[in-house]
Amino acid sequence: MPSKKQKARIAKKQVTNARRSDLNRGSLRGPTRFGNSNIGYELVGGYHGADRKRQIWDQAGYPQLVLPEMLWNESRRNGYAKGIIDIKAGESWQDDPIIYDGDEDPKRRKESPTEFEIAIDKWADEWELWERIEGADRRQMVMRYSGLIIFAREPEKSTPEKPMQTLAGPEAITKIMPVFETQIEVNEAIQDQNSVDYGQPKHFQFRSEVVGSRNTWMEQDFVLHPSRVVTFAEGADDGSIYGIPEFESYFNPLLDLEKIRMSGGEGSYKNSSQKIAINLDPKLTQGLSAKQQDAFDDNIDDFNQDMNRALVLAGAEAKSLQATMSDTSSYSKLAENEVAAGSGLPWTIIVGQQTGRLASDEDQTQKNVVIERRQKKWVTPMVKKMLKKLIEINALPKPESKITVCWPDITEPSFSDKVATGKDMMTTNELSVKAQQDPVYSTEYIQEYVGIEVEKIEREPTEGAEAPTKLIE
């Protein structure tokens, strides 16, 4: 009969196994630190029936559903996953956007900016607005959506579950905070099919101690009105707030790469530890006292644990247990290709420079296409949505015309590249003159290309040469 302690230990183990089984199936039962954030995740990609005879994902150790905590852990503990977010979000926001009140016109904006343009230049810096929107962009990539919560001093005393009042001006904004999906769960949605907001959140539940939280001093949970939140969800082409997590399509190959890395590291460690198998002749152990047997065991323990070690065999035979490590590069390549296909980024771009393999011009071009398309199709609408919200609550003045968001050209060469190209132009001119032809590039063109201010220069004629007929501008 098992004792009470043994029964308690067995019961605890059964509960743990049940919860682990639920986690693997993607259905956490009962209250968890993720609240209701798992609701709806059964609607995302699961097993696609690659093998009808068996659940091949179970054999490979893949989860049936990819839940928020799994996505969060992947973004925090997997270097490839973090690198993809750093490239896509980081390079989309590597330069601040330029906001125009009307069509793009740098000269007009510089000489006579509108009230809206003056305000956005000032308060975007005060609020660290672009950094906050980038933070929301990074968070929505990890899960299905993210949000920016607007905290402000309102004209009349209010509570978070009530609609935000019209503010007295931009000074009323106290904080803009990006949050993960798990931090602002949909508490209730609008069910009126005749409403333009059908299916949209009616209230959010702000949760403080969940996946994604960083400030442990924010201990209060509260109901949040959607007028206080701006949500972002890449891939939500149905008008809802639910997008597609960045890692969902290539979550399994990310796990494969981790398995390969761990098996290689663990295998190398075990091989280097020199495990010894000792074959004892029964005759050697006959007649040994308990003290002598303990000394023999201590000698083996010291050999296994110490760096400077020697083993006294006393006639026994010792053999080293070594395993031959297989080459996993082909399996790694399969997983790498799938991660690259799912993310849209060449593998050399994701991992950076490698020995004997640099990112080619084609890889850089493909990456630039991904970033430019993302800026146009996703990041620009993010910026406009946030600005319209700030205008709606009177945190920014109304623009005189449409809002235009422009980004610096990410394909523009760096200054050092321009200098190198300018040097090539000068070399071309030198070869052209030697061939008794006119220079191909003018000095003014080279200066403008490199980015050096063009100045009027009057050359002193050399002895025996004619004076220049024109100035170099």
Side-chain angles (χ1 to χ4, degrees), residues 88-102:
K88 283 192 169 183
E91 297 205 16
S92 295
W93 289 93
Q94 64 181 342
D95 294 303
D96 294 340
I98 304 170
I99 311 301
Y100 291 92
D101 187 349

Side-chain angles (χ1 to χ4, degrees), residues 322-364:
Q322 295 288 333
T324 302
M325 299 289 292
S326 60
D327 182 10
T328 60
S329 58
S330 59
Y331 310 123
S332 298
K333 190 63 178 177
L334 285 173
E336 292 165 4
N337 289 342
E338 190 170 350
V339 171
S343 65
L345 297 172
W347 184 251
T348 52
I349 295 294
I350 296 173
V351 298
Q353 179 176 336
Q354 301 179 79
T355 303
R357 179 71 170 94
L358 302 179
S360 65
D361 291 341
E362 290 78 9
D363 292 341
Q364 292 288 351

Side-chain angles (χ1 to χ4, degrees), residues 69-246:
E69 61 271 20
M70 299 177 184
L71 296 166
W72 157 261
N73 290 335
E74 200 73 9
S75 71
R76 300 288 287 183
R77 300 297 297 271
N78 187 292
Y80 301 134
K82 181 181 181 299
I84 290 169
I85 290 182
D86 286 344
I87 293 171
K88 283 192 169 183
E91 297 205 16
S92 295
W93 289 93
Q94 64 181 342
D95 294 303
D96 294 340
I98 304 170
I99 311 301
Y100 291 92
D101 187 349
D103 294 329
E104 181 181 4
D105 190 345
K107 183 178 180 181
R108 191 274 310 158
R109 196 185 193 284
K110 182 178 180 180
E111 295 176 353
S112 56
T114 66
E115 181 186 2
F116 172 75
E117 291 170 338
I118 294 173
I120 190 61
D121 288 347
K122 176 183 178 181
W123 292 103
D125 184 60
E126 291 284 337
W127 297 327
E128 298 180 336
L129 184 60
W130 310 134
E131 290 81 358
R132 299 295 178 264
I133 303 179
E134 180 184 354
D137 189 13
R138 289 175 176 270
R139 286 164 172 78
Q140 67 82 27
M141 289 181 70
V142 176
M143 299 181 190
R144 294 179 299 182
Y145 65 86
S146 68
L148 281 175
I149 303 178
I150 301 173
F151 296 90
R153 292 183 293 269
E154 300 177 59
E156 299 179 5
K157 187 175 180 180
S158 185
T159 52
E161 69 269 13
K162 295 180 180 180
M164 177 168 280
Q165 304 169 22
T166 301
L167 304 180
E171 298 85 354
I173 298 286
T174 58
K175 185 178 184 179
I176 298 176
M177 184 175 74
V179 289
F180 283 94
E181 170 191 351
T182 46
Q183 294 175 274
I184 49 166
E185 301 169 357
V186 177
N187 200 9
E188 186 180 0
I190 297 172
Q191 299 299 323
D192 182 3
Q193 298 178 13
N194 296 320
S195 172
V196 295
D197 294 325
Y198 173 60
Q200 297 299 320
K202 190 174 182 179
H203 285 100
F204 289 101
Q205 179 69 39
F206 177 79
R207 297 187 181 277
S208 55
E209 298 180 1
V210 292
V211 167
S213 302
R214 296 183 184 177
N215 189 347
T216 57
W217 293 102
M218 297 179 67
E219 300 174 346
Q220 294 183 350
D221 295 357
F222 52 85
V223 177
L224 194 62
H225 194 273
S227 64
R228 301 174 181 274
V229 182
V230 182
T231 56
F232 305 102
E234 195 170 4
D237 53 4
D238 58 353
S240 72
I241 69 166
Y242 298 102
I244 301 173
E246 168 66 29

Side-chain angles (χ1 to χ4, degrees), residues 422-441:
K423 185 178 179 181
D424 292 339
M425 292 179 183
M426 295 173 66
T427 302
T428 302
N429 282 351
E430 183 181 356
L431 294 174
S432 181
V433 170
K434 287 182 178 180
Q436 297 183 350
Q437 300 293 325
D438 292 335
V440 178
Y441 305 101

